[in-house]
Amino acid sequence: MPRAPASLHTKSFDRERFWAYAAAFGSLWGTLEVTLGAFLHTLRLPLTGAFLAAMGAALLVAMRQFYPARGSSLAVGVIAALLKSLSPGGVILGPMIGIISEAFLVELALVVAPRALLSAFVAGGLCVLWSVFQKVLTQTVLYGGTILDLYLAALKRVDQLLGSENAGAWLLVVCIGVLTLLGGSLTLVGRHLGRKAAVELRQQALPQGSTHA
Amino acid sequence: MPRSVPPTAPAAARPGSRTAPWLVLVAVLVCIGLQFGGDLTASALALLVWLLVLALVDRRALRKLWLPRFWLFSLLLALVSGFLLGGNLSKAHGLTLSRVGLDAGLLMIVRGAFLLSLAAHLSAKVKSARFQRLLARLGFSGFGAALATAFALLPELSHTLQVRAGVWQAEAPTWRGRLRHFPTLAVQLLVETAVLAEQCARMGSNPLYAAELLVFIEGPPQSGKTRCLLALVAALKAAGHSVGGIAQPAVHQSDERVGYRLLDVATGETTAFAERVNPSAPAAAGRRYQFEPAAFTRARDLLQRAVLEHPIVCVDELGRLEARGQGHLPGLQQALLQTQPRVLLATVRADAAPALMLLLGRPTVTLAPTADAAELGELLTLIAQVVTRLSAPKGDAHARVASEEWR
């Protein structure tokens, strides 16, 4: 693998590089959130949040294929969240918390083996699950525990409609499973693309492989 | 001599900035206490009190509560809880409803409204200058520079995305073709971003931090920032300093502001910059003035010339547009990438100051437009010292040490 000139491999340059990657990929994530996110929200498609979460995870996993520095996913997430905070708009705390949490989950999933297939899948699955969980959590904070009673009552009504005990719960489990699978798969695509990008970057002889953090 | 002159804007320009936060905090705590008792009347009372507080201190947060979809959803939830929750069923228009369930639903709406309005108020606080300054004081220097770089990269990455998406659609008109081409597009985007990151790392995270002395004249709109800048420029020129850059003096007709002119600070020449076309449009919407087509190009040319020819450069009216990476900012960035002025004087709108601080660096001096003669005199002495010391030959060790002191 081609390396940068020795003079560039200083601790200070590694730090510059770490923050430069955080800035560039944080900016890319912010741009995607603004452009693609706005487009999907305008279309009023269901599960837009889950899709954006999976896309964010895929981007982070892709980046870690050619820049595996520990902590970089979290740094990218914090930058992207703060870019969101500086953008004009209404209530921004929710999306900010969402982006930082997703980045934290990806960082957690990639901590042991940042380039492994399983790590990537887990990262995507966790992010999509979080996006669903955050929605329920936000509603619980906003409306109180009554909303959970309401969801449980709705599940019981589904049981009655389908005429089978626990049918509602099983339906929920299947939905969550499908979502996790889709999130994981999208992140695997991200990993694949990241590896292809790593090959191209190696051909362009860019310095790589810094794992200082 | 103090390194920084604190802003001394008049109290009228910052209503309630000192006392209101404590009152608001007390109101928040009392309302939270009432809200979480679980009693509908107490919750409704708390909501009413909080909305009154917002009406007094933060009307913008009140306007953010105009969310028809959210309220429709909340109403639906209350009705559904009437059907699904609690006993004590009663018939209404042929439907079986529970009074307990409806009460629970109403409580949810009241609590939701309270927390939403609280979040709207807090969101503004997160964006406020105090919060951003706190982040800077905590010493996240690398992080701050990265955020500034990320912000500066946003327009470029948006442009790259648009171009790539355009090429993608043109090369593959069918959905199947687009799907096939998507991996190539994504890999190119990743590679371009990685190359950009490497370039940023080589340059240092933020090349715009390098002005020896960065002065922000900071204040709300129409508080006299340009007048203060022009007074400083006049005093510097009178003292024999070479000053360049741009200013935007307002044009008045019978005491009414009808437009702006672009002033070349070095020569004193002015050209038309903006004309008021829609006096009734809200200032925040940015539709009140129509800009001359070539105005920003001329401003950019003047800034580029100024950094090359003058040690002291000024730029006027950095506001929300620049905080979003538009207006004068691209021109200023291009100019600063060529070479660094020793002193950069900028007038900055108070609400855009935090974002601009991240883009241009922390100002060495922050001056209020209402600064008195003593403060202006202090700043003039400081500028003179920086310019004179740095004018010494490169090999002069004393001059280099002195210049480092200002960093």
Side-chain angles (χ1 to χ4, degrees):
Chain A
M1 186 186 291
R3 306 282 298 175
S7 61
L8 285 181
H9 277 279
T10 59
K11 204 171 178 182
S12 142
F13 180 70
D14 273 351
R15 199 169 50 236
E16 291 286 6
R17 216 166 153 235
F18 178 85
W19 287 114
Y21 268 85
F25 281 87
S27 195
L28 181 64
W29 192 358
T31 311
L32 284 172
E33 280 273 342
V34 170
T35 51
L36 192 64
F39 174 68
L40 291 175
H41 281 299
T42 312
L43 288 180
R44 302 235 189 282
L45 290 173
L47 299 170
T48 300
F51 176 75
L52 286 173
M55 188 202 66
L59 177 69
L60 292 178
V61 167
M63 183 197 76
R64 292 290 285 266
Q65 303 310 304
F66 46 82
Y67 188 67
R70 231 174 264 159
S72 54
S73 305
L74 190 58
V76 168
V78 175
I79 297 274
L82 280 166
L83 284 184
K84 190 105 183 166
S85 86
L86 292 171
S87 69
V91 181
I92 43 98
L93 280 175
M96 273 178 76
I97 293 169
I99 290 174
I100 294 176
S101 311
E102 285 154 20
F104 177 74
L105 288 171
V106 171
E107 189 64 54
L108 206 68
L110 303 187
V111 75
V112 178
R115 288 170 176 169
L117 200 80
L118 187 65
S119 308
F121 186 83
V122 170
L126 280 176
C127 279
V128 171
L129 277 183
W130 171 259
S131 73
V132 177
F133 177 69
Q134 195 193 350
K135 196 159 261 180
V136 177
L137 191 73
T138 311
Q139 287 179 350
T140 311
V141 171
L142 210 58
Y143 298 118
T146 319
I147 191 93
L148 294 178
D149 296 337
L150 198 61
Y151 282 136
L152 288 175
L155 280 180
K156 277 184 189 153
R157 197 50 72 91
V158 172
D159 288 350
Q160 284 170 9
L161 282 173
L162 294 176
S164 158
E165 209 180 335
N166 295 331
W170 277 113
L171 198 66
L172 188 69
V173 168
V174 168
C175 285
I176 287 175
V178 168
L179 272 178
T180 312
L181 206 66
L182 285 175
S185 309
L186 207 61
T187 322
L188 287 184
V189 173
R191 178 182 175 271
H192 173 69
L193 296 173
R195 288 177 97 78
K196 282 180 99 169
V199 172
E200 200 149 314
L201 284 167
R202 267 201 293 273
Q203 283 164 359
Q204 290 187 13
L206 274 171
Q208 293 180 44
S210 173
T211 52
H212 70 91
Chain B
M1 183 190 292
R3 277 194 66 179
S4 134
V5 182
T8 50
R14 309 177 191 180
S17 62
R18 287 189 189 281
T19 50
W22 294 104
L23 285 176
V24 173
L25 184 68
V26 170
V28 167
L29 292 175
V30 169
C31 290
I32 287 176
L34 283 171
Q35 196 63 245
F36 290 93
D39 178 53
L40 182 60
T41 317
S43 293
L45 184 71
L47 175 65
L48 197 67
V49 169
W50 176 239
L51 290 179
L52 278 173
V53 170
L54 279 188
L56 287 173
V57 300
D58 190 1
R59 290 195 184 168
R60 208 175 274 183
L62 268 187
R63 282 197 287 273
K64 282 181 188 170
L65 294 180
W66 175 244
L67 300 164
R69 277 182 71 207
F70 170 78
W71 296 117
L72 203 67
F73 178 69
S74 300
L75 203 65
L76 203 70
L77 271 183
L79 280 173
V80 171
S81 62
F83 287 119
L84 294 177
L85 295 178
N88 195 14
L89 300 175
S90 59
K91 286 259 183 191
H93 300 288
L95 294 169
T96 311
L97 279 170
S98 154
R99 176 70 196 270
V100 177
L102 272 179
D103 277 356
L106 279 176
L107 188 65
M108 284 199 305
I109 293 185
V110 169
R111 193 177 149 157
F114 173 72
L115 285 177
L116 194 72
S117 52
L118 191 64
H121 180 65
L122 288 178
S123 294
K125 291 286 158 204
V126 168
K127 286 190 240 181
S128 78
R130 279 183 192 181
F131 183 78
Q132 300 289 350
R133 282 186 189 127
L134 178 73
L135 269 184
R137 272 190 209 139
L138 288 173
F140 293 111
S141 56
F143 174 72
L147 187 59
T149 311
F151 212 85
L153 289 176
L154 263 180
E156 189 169 344
L157 280 170
S158 298
H159 178 70
T160 309
L161 265 181
Q162 280 169 6
V163 170
R164 289 276 167 224
V167 172
W168 182 42
Q169 284 174 359
E171 279 182 355
T174 61
W175 276 106
R176 190 177 282 183
R178 280 179 199 171
L179 267 179
R180 217 178 21 248
H181 276 79
F182 176 76
T184 319
L185 170 86
V187 169
Q188 275 174 347
L189 202 61
L190 286 170
V191 169
E192 276 175 27
T193 312
V195 169
L196 209 58
E198 292 291 343
Q199 284 170 350
C200 285
R202 287 206 186 89
M203 281 196 309
S205 289
N206 190 356
L208 305 184
Y209 276 101
E212 278 303 316
L213 185 65
L214 177 61
V215 180
F216 273 10
I217 301 169
E218 188 183 320
Q222 304 208 17
S223 57
K225 298 185 293 292
T226 303
R227 198 171 48 236
C228 180
L229 176 75
L230 292 176
L232 257 177
V233 168
L236 285 165
K237 280 187 170 178
H241 293 293
S242 167
V243 190
I246 55 166
Q248 283 174 221
V251 180
H252 292 92
Q253 260 177 19
S254 44
D255 287 345
E256 223 179 311
R257 187 170 286 195
V258 291
Y260 289 94
R261 293 192 69 79
L262 185 69
L263 169 72
D264 178 354
V265 169
T267 62
E269 279 174 32
T270 64
T271 47
F273 186 74
E275 189 188 355
R276 196 178 65 178
V277 286
N278 189 4
S280 56
R287 289 192 292 267
R288 201 179 274 180
Y289 291 93
Q290 186 174 23
F291 293 94
E292 286 294 316
F296 283 109
T297 315
R298 176 161 166 74
R300 186 198 61 202
D301 293 345
L302 288 175
L303 283 169
Q304 287 191 340
R305 210 177 64 206
V307 294
L308 294 173
E309 294 174 1
H310 306 279
I312 304 169
V313 172
C314 45
V315 57
D316 196 10
E317 288 292 335
L318 298 184
R320 288 180 182 168
L321 203 61
E322 283 73 20
R324 291 199 297 266
Q326 298 162 17
H328 287 311
L329 197 83
L332 182 64
Q333 284 179 321
Q334 274 181 26
L336 293 177
L337 282 170
Q338 289 182 106
T339 184
Q340 297 296 328
R342 286 158 192 177
V343 180
L344 181 63
L345 302 171
T347 66
V348 171
R349 264 185 61 161
D351 54 359
L356 289 164
M357 202 154 67
L358 293 167
L359 289 164
L360 295 170
R362 286 186 72 190
T364 328
V365 176
T366 306
L367 195 72
T370 49
D372 56 24
E375 284 173 329
L376 286 178
E378 229 179 328
L379 179 61
L380 286 172
T381 315
L382 180 60
I383 292 174
Q385 282 178 341
V386 170
V387 173
T388 317
R389 281 178 183 174
L390 290 169
S391 296
K394 271 190 169 179
D396 186 340
H398 173 73
R400 271 190 275 121
V401 170
S403 73
E404 285 303 312
E405 280 172 12
W406 296 114
R407 287 188 177 275

